[in-house]
Amino acid sequence: MLKKAIVAGGAVALLSSLAVGVPLASYTRCGVSWLRDSASDAVPLEWELKRARQMISDLKPEITDNAKRIAYEKIEVARLEKQLNETESRLASAQSDIQRLTTDLEGGDKYFTYAGRTYTSVQVKDDLKNRFKRFKTRRATADKLQQMLTARQSTLTAAQHRMEEMLSAKRQLEVEVENLQARLGALRVAQTASELSLDDSHLSQTRRLLDEIETRIDVEEETMSVDAEYFGEINLEDSGDEDLLDDIANYFDAEREQPKALVAIQLD
C-alpha cells in the first residue's frame, strides 16, 4: 500500500512538472549546488587552510613516484645509448671486413689466405654474402635503437620539464598558503579588536561604592557642623541682657512720640 502511494505521488509530481513546464533536473542540480556551497561556506577558514596544507603535503608521494619514473627512464636511456654504441661499433667493424673481402674478390684470385687458413673464392663469396646479410640486419637494428633512444630521450626531457613545473607549482602553493595564513591572522586580530567587549561591571560597582562612601562622609561632616552651631558649649561671657532691655524701652518710647509729631504737622 505504501509502495503504491509513493509511486502515485511520484507520478503526480512528474505530471505536474510536465504540465507547468518546470524542469525537475535543473531544480535538483540547483539544490545540490546550493547545499554544496552552503556547506563550503560553513567550514571555518582555519580548517580550509589546514586542508590546503594537507593537500600540498599529499603531493610528496606523487612527486616521489614521478622522480622514480624519471630515474628509471634515465637508466633506460643510458642502456639504449650503450647498446647503440656497441651496435655501431660492430657495424663499423663489419663494414670494414666486408669492404676488405669485396676488394679481395674483385682482384680475381681463386684462393685467399686469412689467419693462416686458405679459402677458395667461392667460400669467400659465400662468407661475404652472409656477412653482408648480417650487416643489413644489424644496421636495421641500429636504426631501431636510434629511434627508441630518440623517443626515450624526448620522453625523459618532457618528464624532467614536467617535474620542474610540479616542484615550482608546489613551492608557489606553499608561498600562497603562508600568505593566506598571514592575511587570515591579520583579519582575526582586526575582528577581535572590533568585537572586544570588556567586562567593567566590577569597576562600576567599585565606583558606586566610593561615591556612596563619599556621600556618607559628607553627611556626617555636615551633621557635625550643625551640632557645633546649635548645640555648642555654654558661653562664659555676659549675655548682654541689660542692653536688650534698654533697646526695648527706647523702641516703644519712640512709637508713643511719633503720632504727636504727625498731628502737629497736620495743624500747621
Side-chain angles (χ1 to χ4, degrees):
M1 187 66 181
L2 179 61
K3 182 177 180 181
K4 292 181 179 180
I6 294 175
V7 173
V12 171
L14 179 60
L15 291 175
S16 300
S17 65
L18 293 176
V20 298
V22 177
L24 291 178
S26 63
Y27 274 97
T28 302
R29 289 194 298 270
C30 182
V32 171
S33 176
W34 179 81
L35 289 174
R36 183 168 55 248
D37 294 340
S38 299
S40 177
D41 293 339
V43 177
L45 291 173
E46 288 79 3
W47 179 261
E48 291 287 51
L49 277 176
K50 184 180 293 185
R51 189 164 70 95
R53 290 181 184 275
Q54 183 60 46
M55 292 178 67
I56 293 175
S57 179
D58 291 341
L59 291 174
K60 292 181 180 179
E62 183 178 355
I63 292 176
T64 301
D65 185 58
N66 290 336
K68 289 181 179 179
R69 292 181 181 179
I70 290 176
Y72 176 79
E73 198 64 23
K74 283 183 177 180
I75 294 173
E76 287 298 315
V77 167
R79 184 183 64 80
L80 282 174
E81 288 178 344
K82 181 180 179 181
Q83 185 177 358
L84 180 60
N85 290 334
E86 291 176 352
T87 302
E88 292 288 350
S89 178
R90 291 177 182 177
L91 283 173
S93 178
Q95 184 176 356
S96 178
D97 293 339
I98 289 173
Q99 289 176 348
R100 178 183 176 184
L101 293 175
T102 301
T103 301
D104 290 345
L105 287 174
E106 288 176 351
D109 295 337
K110 293 183 178 181
Y111 298 98
F112 303 92
T113 301
Y114 302 104
R117 295 184 61 180
T118 301
Y119 302 91
T120 64
S121 59
V122 176
Q123 291 175 323
V124 172
K125 186 177 293 185
D126 290 339
D127 183 69
L128 177 61
K129 181 179 179 181
N130 293 331
R131 284 174 182 268
F132 183 61
K133 185 178 180 179
R134 290 195 300 270
F135 177 84
K136 289 190 294 183
T137 303
R138 189 166 291 162
R139 180 73 271 171
T141 301
D143 293 340
K144 293 297 182 182
L145 288 175
Q146 183 62 55
Q147 293 177 3
M148 292 173 60
L149 178 60
T150 301
R152 290 220 169 206
Q153 285 176 336
S154 178
T155 301
L156 177 60
T157 301
Q160 289 175 332
H161 182 67
R162 179 58 181 162
M163 186 68 167
E164 293 175 357
E165 289 180 345
M166 288 184 64
L167 292 175
S168 178
K170 179 177 178 292
R171 288 190 291 268
Q172 180 63 30
L173 290 175
E174 292 172 345
V175 170
E176 290 183 8
V177 165
E178 294 299 328
N179 178 54
L180 291 175
Q181 183 67 56
R183 290 178 59 189
L184 179 59
L187 175 62
R188 291 297 183 246
V189 170
Q191 290 175 341
T192 302
S194 61
E195 297 175 358
L196 183 61
S197 178
L198 297 178
D199 183 10
D200 58 351
S201 59
H202 186 71
L203 178 63
S204 300
Q205 293 175 1
T206 306
R207 178 71 267 170
R208 286 195 299 270
L209 177 59
L210 291 179
D211 292 340
E212 291 174 0
I213 292 174
E214 183 180 8
T215 302
R216 292 181 61 184
I217 292 175
D218 291 340
V219 170
E220 293 191 13
E221 287 179 347
E222 185 65 24
T223 302
M224 288 295 296
S225 175
V226 173
D227 290 343
E229 181 178 354
Y230 294 101
F231 307 101
E233 298 176 343
I234 298 174
N235 189 3
L236 300 179
E237 302 294 333
D238 294 336
S239 60
D241 291 337
E242 296 179 354
D243 295 336
L244 176 61
L245 295 177
D246 292 339
D247 291 337
I248 293 173
N250 293 331
Y251 177 81
F252 285 109
D253 290 342
E255 284 188 349
R256 285 193 295 268
E257 294 176 354
Q258 185 176 1
K260 295 178 179 179
L262 292 173
V263 175
I265 295 171
Q266 290 177 358
L267 292 176
D268 291 340

